[in-house]
Amino acid sequence: MIHRCLLLLLVAVFAHIASAVAFADELSIRTNQLGYLPDGPKLATIISPSDAPLEFQLVDAENVPVLQGRTRPMGFDAMAGLKTHLADFTNYRKTGEGYHLVVGESTSPAFSIEANIYDRLSVDAQSWFYLARSGTEIRKDIAGSLYARPAGHLGIAPNVGDTSVPC
């Protein structure tokens, strides 16, 4: 049984490595998926095998270029196992939604530049605790239909405290 588990683990690891290598051959743009502050740093990581700087554009929601720049090659990132570049568009401070970075034929997912971009972060982080509960129902009106479910593990050892509290 242990050998089979180990074999499955190795297959998963090699599949991950193979997909990472295939992915590394493509240009990829990594932006802050939440967005950026107007007066804060605005950096993106570009995955590229190129040793030379790459041209990039920041485009708005109408696909109009609003800023142009060149990436800074950062070399091989040992933790990621990929060659990276840094795109810095900190100088752009206009707020809005639907911005994209474009490098060659690749386009990043949309992001926003807003002063209040992080206002809900503490609420979102704390909301995770509601979804992580086990012995209590997760209500649809609070968590949405995707996460709603009945209480789990009720009265199942060692969590019998859900149904049998001695005090």
Side-chain angles (χ1 to χ4, degrees):
M1 179 67 175
I2 291 176
H3 294 293
R4 191 161 79 169
C5 290
L6 182 59
L7 179 63
L8 290 173
L9 176 63
L10 288 173
V11 168
V13 168
F14 285 119
H16 175 73
I17 290 170
S19 67
V21 168
F23 183 73
D25 291 339
E26 301 172 11
L27 184 68
S28 176
I29 304 171
R30 314 274 173 89
T31 57
N32 182 330
Q33 60 188 342
L34 189 56
Y36 299 89
L37 295 169
D39 295 328
K42 294 172 207 67
L43 305 170
T45 300
I46 313 301
I47 309 302
S48 171
S50 174
D51 291 322
L54 304 170
E55 301 290 329
F56 73 86
Q57 289 185 331
L58 175 65
V59 299
D60 64 15
E62 286 78 41
N63 214 30
V64 175
V66 295
L67 181 87
Q68 294 183 6
R70 293 171 59 97
T71 64
R72 186 170 75 222
M74 302 302 289
F76 183 76
D77 182 314
M79 294 296 287
L82 301 166
K83 288 178 80 173
T84 64
H85 289 237
L86 187 66
D88 187 345
F89 53 106
T90 299
N91 292 335
Y92 190 79
R93 290 184 165 83
K94 186 176 179 186
T95 60
E97 296 180 355
Y99 288 103
H100 298 272
L101 275 183
V102 178
V103 181
E105 300 294 317
S106 297
T107 302
S108 74
F111 57 86
S112 299
I113 300 174
E114 299 288 343
N116 63 350
I117 200 80
Y118 297 115
D119 287 0
R120 283 201 40 88
L121 193 56
S122 65
V123 172
D124 291 343
Q126 293 176 49
S127 295
W128 177 86
F129 291 100
Y130 181 78
L131 298 175
R133 299 184 318 171
S134 172
T136 306
E137 170 191 17
I138 305 298
R139 294 179 19 201
K140 179 181 176 180
D141 62 317
I142 295 173
S145 59
L146 180 63
Y147 299 106
R149 60 171 171 71
H153 306 290
L154 290 177
I156 298 173
N159 301 318
V160 293
D162 295 331
T163 56
S164 176
V165 179
C167 59

